[in-house]
């Protein structure tokens, strides 16, 4: 059973609950990135991402887990996808960073005994957010309407990267779309599905189909969210959900087809890291590059191994921090070698992971979302 076909059989059987789950098998499933690069490589188009989520659901139901992992799961699934709880956590984070407690904790070395806690602490951005940006619920297009788009504002994106949401809405309106930010939307369910909590994932999916489903396009600026929403048809087994999934688009896909004007020079050198769930999960590779290539003055340098995972992979950098650090070190080394001033990527998890790695290496590089640079060009704000 060590052949690819044998491993595929085991995953299907495990996902359907037809075989026992040995500790060795569980360890392999836990250490899988879920990056879905195997889907890109597989000539038969086997949906390994779906299989992995189904297997992990069986593991969480049937296999006793260590207390530390259970507590980590409760923290991640109980806080990160709930905007109010995440905002409260970020307020506490600011107190932790600004009071001197962070420096004290790091000096004591206590975090070395808890690798997962240390990984989470290292990801905390300086001056962490805490308040989602105020975005209008409806934005009239700047040109004759190309259709109605509903924007998923997200959880982490809304609180840690509100500038990405603001740029998304502004650019879509300038490109001629009637932009809606519907009330009632919520977490896409990606973190729950990665963890194996499919029931909560289904509940969140139904909520979003109801809230966002009336628009011509459902737009996301987070690769992980987009990949999860494109799977709603399979997850819910409903015709309406399948139709919804077929209308999900990454923001760069629409902007690449309908670039806003005018565009002013942004004289910077950038390189592009492909988020796994955009390149492999959604098969969106050229649109972000076309958006960047359309910015006057911007020099795009190709990143070696651009689609190799940075180690974020949903919550992989928290569950398997040692392996994630190795991947991050390799990614940062490749970025440094390009000579770029900015590394661009389209996923909040990747942005957090890359900023952590760049800071740890002492590099003065920015990590930004493609829409931020395009908005700089449209608004004429240069660098």
């Amino acid at each position: 059973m060590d052949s690819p076909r044998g491993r595929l059989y085991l995953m299907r059987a495990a996902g359907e609950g037809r075989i026992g789950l040995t500790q060795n098998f569980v360890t392999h499933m836990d250490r899988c990135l879920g990056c879905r690069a195997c889907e890109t490589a597989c000539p038969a188009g086997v949906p390994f991402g779906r299989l992995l989520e189904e297997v992990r659901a069986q593991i969480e139901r049937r296999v006793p887990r260590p207390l530390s992992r259970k507590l980590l799961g409760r923290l991640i699934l109980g806080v990160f996808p709930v905007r109010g709880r995440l905002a409260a956590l970020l307020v506490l984070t600011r107190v932790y960073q600004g009071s001197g407690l962070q420096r004290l904790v790091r000096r004591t070395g206590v975090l070395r005994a808890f690798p997962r806690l240390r990984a989470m602490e290292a990801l905390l951005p300086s001056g962490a957010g805490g308040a989602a940006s105020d975005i209008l619920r409806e934005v009239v297009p700047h040109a004759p309407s190309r259709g109605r788009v509903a924007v998923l504002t997200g959880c982490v994106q809304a609180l840690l990267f509100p500038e990405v949401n603001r740029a998304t809405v502004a650019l879509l309106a300038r490109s001629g779309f009637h932009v809606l930010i519907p009330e009632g939307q919520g977490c896409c369910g990606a973190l729950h599905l990665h963890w194996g909590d499919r029931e909560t994932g289904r509940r969140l999916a139904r909520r979003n189909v109801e809230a966002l489903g009336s628009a011509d396009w459902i737009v996301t600026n987070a690769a992980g969210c987009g990949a999860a929403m494109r799977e709603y048809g399979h997850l819910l087994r409903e015709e309406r959900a399948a139709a919804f999934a077929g209308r999900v688009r990454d923001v760069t896909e629409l902007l690449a087809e309908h670039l806003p004007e005018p565009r002013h020079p942004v004289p910077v050198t950038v390189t592009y890291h492909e988020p796994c769930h955009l390149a492999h999960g959604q098969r969106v590779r050229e649109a972000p590059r076309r958006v960047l290539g359309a910015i006057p003055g911007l020099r795009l340098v190709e990143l070696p191994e651009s689609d190799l995972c940075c180690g974020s992979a949903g919550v992989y950098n928290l569950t398997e921090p040692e392996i994630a650090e190795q991947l991050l070190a390799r990614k940062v080394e490749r970025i440094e070698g390009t000579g770029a001033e900015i590394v661009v990527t389209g996923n909040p998890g990747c942005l957090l992971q890359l900023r952590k790695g760049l800071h740890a290496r002492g590099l003065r590089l920015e990590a930004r979302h493609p829409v931020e640079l395009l908005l700089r060009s449209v608004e004429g704000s240069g660098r």
Side-chain angles (χ1 to χ4, degrees):
M1 286 294 180
D2 196 35
S3 66
R5 181 174 295 179
R7 288 193 292 272
L8 176 60
Y9 170 80
L10 284 175
M11 288 184 69
R12 282 179 170 161
E16 294 167 3
R18 294 187 283 110
I19 62 171
L21 301 173
T22 66
Q23 185 56 53
N24 185 50
F25 180 81
V26 171
T27 299
H28 278 295
M29 293 300 100
D30 284 345
R31 290 182 178 172
C32 177
L33 284 162
C35 67
R36 299 174 64 173
C38 49
E39 293 185 21
T40 298
C42 178
V46 175
F48 286 100
R50 293 178 183 176
L51 291 174
L52 180 62
E53 289 175 357
E54 290 166 0
V55 168
R56 285 179 171 171
Q58 290 289 344
I59 290 172
E60 293 306 312
R61 281 197 295 267
R62 297 165 51 191
V63 177
R65 300 297 241 169
L67 178 60
S68 59
R69 185 181 176 91
K70 290 180 181 179
L71 293 175
L72 180 64
R74 289 184 180 180
L75 174 62
I76 292 172
L77 303 186
V79 175
F80 280 72
V82 182
R83 191 176 292 183
R85 295 175 186 171
L86 181 57
L89 177 63
L90 293 176
V91 170
L92 294 176
T93 295
R94 289 205 304 273
V95 173
Y96 170 72
Q97 292 173 330
S99 65
L101 183 58
Q102 182 180 50
R103 291 191 298 273
L104 176 63
V105 169
R106 289 182 173 181
R107 278 202 302 267
T108 64
V110 67
L111 291 173
R112 284 196 292 269
F114 304 96
R116 290 172 177 168
L117 184 60
R118 184 175 72 247
M120 184 178 294
E121 198 266 357
L123 279 172
L124 296 174
S126 178
S133 59
D134 293 325
I135 300 179
L136 296 175
R137 291 293 170 191
E138 187 169 350
V139 182
V140 178
H142 289 220
S145 179
R146 301 183 187 278
R148 289 155 51 90
V149 298
V151 174
L152 180 84
T153 54
C155 314
V156 173
Q157 195 80 289
L159 288 165
L160 289 181
F161 305 103
E163 65 277 5
V164 174
N165 280 341
R166 287 195 295 266
T168 295
V169 172
L171 290 170
L172 288 171
R174 286 176 180 268
S175 298
F177 292 99
H178 192 133
V179 184
L180 306 171
I181 300 89
E183 295 184 13
Q185 64 171 291
C187 173
C188 67
L191 293 183
H192 299 84
L193 295 171
H194 294 330
W195 197 269
D197 184 1
R198 291 179 69 78
E199 287 309 309
T200 303
R202 289 190 181 96
R203 177 173 56 80
L204 294 171
R206 291 191 180 95
R207 174 181 175 179
N208 284 326
V209 170
E210 183 65 32
L212 302 166
S214 62
D216 298 313
W217 305 107
I218 296 91
V219 175
T220 176
N221 49 32
C225 297
M229 293 197 297
R230 288 188 197 242
E231 294 288 335
Y232 279 2
H234 172 76
L235 180 67
L236 297 179
R237 309 284 186 179
E238 297 171 0
E239 185 176 341
R240 184 183 180 190
F244 176 99
R247 299 199 306 277
V248 173
R249 294 291 183 273
D250 185 77
V251 62
T252 60
E253 292 183 273
L254 294 186
L255 293 177
E257 294 179 7
H258 308 287
L259 283 161
E261 298 285 356
R263 296 190 298 280
H264 305 277
V266 180
V268 293
T269 300
V270 308
T271 193
Y272 174 59
H273 161 65
E274 298 185 82
C276 297
H277 285 89
L278 191 60
H280 304 301
Q282 302 183 64
R283 307 297 174 91
V284 176
R285 290 179 176 267
E286 294 306 316
R289 290 181 169 88
R290 286 174 58 193
V291 167
L292 295 170
I295 299 174
L298 184 146
R299 177 172 172 256
L300 179 60
V301 180
E302 192 63 29
L303 176 65
E305 301 178 335
S306 62
D307 63 353
L308 179 69
C309 183
C310 66
S312 175
V315 293
Y316 192 88
N317 50 0
L318 302 181
T319 59
E320 302 291 337
E322 293 86 359
I323 301 175
E325 281 298 318
Q326 295 174 27
L327 288 165
L328 178 58
R330 181 168 175 166
K331 178 64 66 174
V332 170
E333 182 179 342
R334 299 293 187 274
I335 292 170
E336 184 180 15
T338 66
E341 301 164 77
I342 301 175
V343 56
V344 180
T345 190
N347 190 58
C350 297
L351 284 171
L352 283 173
Q353 181 80 339
L354 291 176
R355 288 181 181 182
K356 168 193 168 183
L358 293 170
H359 175 75
R361 199 175 177 98
L363 299 176
R364 300 184 65 181
L365 275 78
E366 294 183 63
R368 296 289 177 184
H369 194 286
V371 297
E372 295 182 82
L373 296 187
L374 181 58
L375 188 63
R376 289 187 197 181
S377 178
V378 170
E379 292 184 341
S381 53
R383 297 180 69 88

